[in-house]
């Protein structure tokens, strides 16, 4: 089409948007709250945090298998069954962000194929997976925070991330300057978004008329935000040994906050501030309701899990 003089935009639409694209897998990313992994501590502390991280992933995956994932089959997927043998997934771990800052996270690449009782393979209903994403994230956050606080004797406190929205629970005692130092990505995106919005409302056509409305709609802002994220995304860095990264992070933490990077234990407070809970029991089925967490999904209500 390009050889025939068709614009790249039209060629893209005809090739990628003009046909149905098959989804072969879904990528779930699990990462603890920033202050949890900023509790750098010693080697034992790191192992406790990573163990809690791994167990939380297993629990969330079990919840997805038992309560969310269904295999569709028959005409128009009219029949739905749970995958009796579970789901097929591959997990990959990263310890840092592209900027080099600490960001423990695991990619869980989930296959959308599941085996039924009759031995045949069918397609996992991906819409159901997407609808449960918010609750799965909240469940993971609660599990990690509860285990880390219990094992290390830490406490949690609410922190405002976005003004006007509900706070998130973070590990108490981590300096806010350190959190800001390691979470500059959102600031970069916001600055780029402001520039893109200015270009959007001032863009004119060949006749000097405004191309778009002078007010940025929510839909346009979402697209501009995605563009800003891509434009400010740094390239991947060379992988360094974890010991070297941790030494570097600890030095940055001390220079940034002026205090040692270890988070102080608070005996007795952890029990009251963040006692272990039955997180899975807080997720319950309700049809057509909106949960406490932001976002719409059908059926799942997350009763404030992972929030204050």
């Amino acid at each position: 089409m390009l050889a025939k003089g068709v614009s790249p935009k039209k060629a893209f639409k005809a090739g990628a948007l003009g046909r149905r694209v098959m989804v072969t897998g879904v990528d779930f990313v699990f990462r603890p709250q920033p202050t949890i992994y900023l509790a750098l501590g010693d080697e034992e502390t790191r192992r406790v945090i990573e163990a809690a991280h791994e167990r939380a992933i297993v629990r969330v995956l079990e919840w997805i298998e038992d309560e969310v994932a269904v295999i569709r089959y028959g005409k128009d997927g009219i029949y739905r069954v749970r995958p009796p043998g579970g789901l097929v997934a591959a997990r990959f771990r990263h310890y840092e962000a592209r900027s080099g800052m600490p960001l423990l996270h695991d990619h869980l690449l989930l296959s959308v194929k599941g085996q039924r009782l009759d031995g045949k393979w069918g397609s996992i209903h991906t819409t159901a997976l997407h609808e449960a994403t918010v609750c799965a994230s909240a469940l993971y956050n609660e599990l990690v925070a509860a285990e880390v606080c219990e094992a290390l004797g830490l406490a949690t406190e609410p922190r405002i991330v976005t003004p006007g929205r509900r706070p998130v629970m973070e590990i108490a005692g981590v300096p806010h300057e350190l959190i800001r130092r390691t979470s500059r990505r959102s600031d970069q995106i916001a600055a780029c978004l402001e520039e893109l919005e200015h270009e959007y409302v001032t863009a004119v056509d060949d006749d000097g008329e405004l191309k778009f409305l002078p007010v940025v709609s929510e839909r346009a802002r979402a697209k501009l935000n995605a563009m800003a994220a891509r434009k400010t995304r740094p390239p991947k860095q060379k992988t360094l040994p974890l010991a070297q990264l941790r030494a570097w992070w600890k030095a940055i933490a001390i220079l940034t906050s002026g205090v040692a990077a270890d988070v102080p234990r608070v005996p007795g407070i952890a029990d009251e501030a963040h006692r272990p809970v039955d997180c899975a029991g807080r997720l319950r089925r309700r049809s057509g309701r909106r949960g406490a967490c932001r976002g719409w999904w059908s059926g799942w209500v997350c009763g404030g899990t992972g929030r204050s």
Side-chain angles (χ1 to χ4, degrees), residues 1-280:
M1 295 183 69
L2 293 175
K4 295 180 180 179
V6 178
S7 68
K9 185 176 181 180
K10 289 184 178 180
F12 174 79
K13 287 185 176 181
L17 303 181
R19 68 175 186 272
R20 191 173 183 180
V21 179
M22 180 180 295
V23 177
T24 58
V26 179
D27 182 22
F28 284 90
V29 181
F30 296 89
R31 68 176 182 88
Q33 298 286 23
T35 50
I36 290 181
Y37 204 60
L38 284 175
L40 301 174
D42 52 19
E43 185 68 15
E44 181 182 355
T45 301
R46 180 185 71 84
R47 293 184 183 277
V48 168
I49 293 174
E50 291 191 23
H53 166 70
E54 292 173 359
R55 279 190 284 268
I57 293 176
V58 173
R59 288 282 302 278
V60 172
L61 187 57
E62 289 174 348
W63 174 73
I64 291 175
E65 290 177 335
D66 295 339
E67 304 292 343
V68 180
V70 290
I71 300 174
R72 303 177 64 198
Y73 66 99
K75 185 178 180 181
D76 297 327
I78 189 173
Y79 301 109
R80 302 185 182 187
V81 295
R82 300 286 180 204
L87 300 172
V88 179
R91 184 160 59 93
F92 307 91
R93 172 160 302 176
H94 299 277
Y95 287 95
E96 76 276 16
R98 286 173 176 250
S99 62
M101 289 293 100
L103 184 65
L104 171 67
H105 63 286
D106 283 22
H107 290 268
L108 191 73
L109 186 58
L110 190 67
S111 172
V112 296
K113 294 298 181 181
Q115 193 172 27
R116 306 197 306 256
L117 284 173
D118 58 7
K120 295 182 179 180
W121 290 79
S123 296
I124 303 294
H125 190 27
T126 54
T127 302
L129 296 178
H130 286 292
E131 288 174 347
T133 299
V134 176
C135 276
S137 175
L139 173 59
Y140 164 81
N141 289 334
E142 182 71 16
L143 288 167
V144 172
E147 182 170 340
V148 169
C149 286
E150 182 182 16
L152 300 179
L154 302 177
T156 57
E157 62 181 1
R159 182 171 70 91
I160 300 295
V161 178
T162 304
R165 293 186 174 180
R166 299 184 66 194
V168 297
M169 300 304 294
E170 299 278 16
I171 299 297
V174 178
H176 284 239
E177 298 81 4
L178 179 58
I179 300 174
R180 295 292 301 169
R181 175 66 177 81
T182 57
S183 303
R184 292 183 173 180
R185 183 85 175 99
S186 57
D187 295 338
Q188 296 172 350
I189 295 176
C192 183
L193 176 62
E194 186 177 352
E195 296 178 0
L196 292 176
E197 288 182 351
H198 177 71
E199 295 177 4
Y200 180 87
V201 298
T202 58
V204 296
D205 56 21
D206 295 337
D207 298 327
E209 299 291 334
L210 290 176
K211 286 185 176 182
F212 312 105
L213 294 174
V215 178
V216 182
S217 65
E218 288 297 322
R219 184 177 181 181
R221 182 172 285 107
K223 292 184 178 180
L224 292 174
N225 190 75
M227 292 173 58
R230 289 195 297 268
K231 289 185 66 175
T232 58
R233 191 181 192 190
K236 288 187 176 181
Q237 305 294 327
K238 180 181 178 181
T239 302
L240 298 175
L242 180 58
Q244 182 177 343
L245 287 172
R246 292 182 63 233
W248 179 46
W249 295 335
K250 195 160 188 175
I252 291 177
I254 296 173
L255 292 174
T256 301
S257 61
V259 297
D262 298 335
V263 176
R265 273 62 168 169
V266 188
I269 296 181
D271 295 336
E272 293 298 325
H274 206 132
R275 59 173 59 91
V277 295
D278 179 13
C279 303

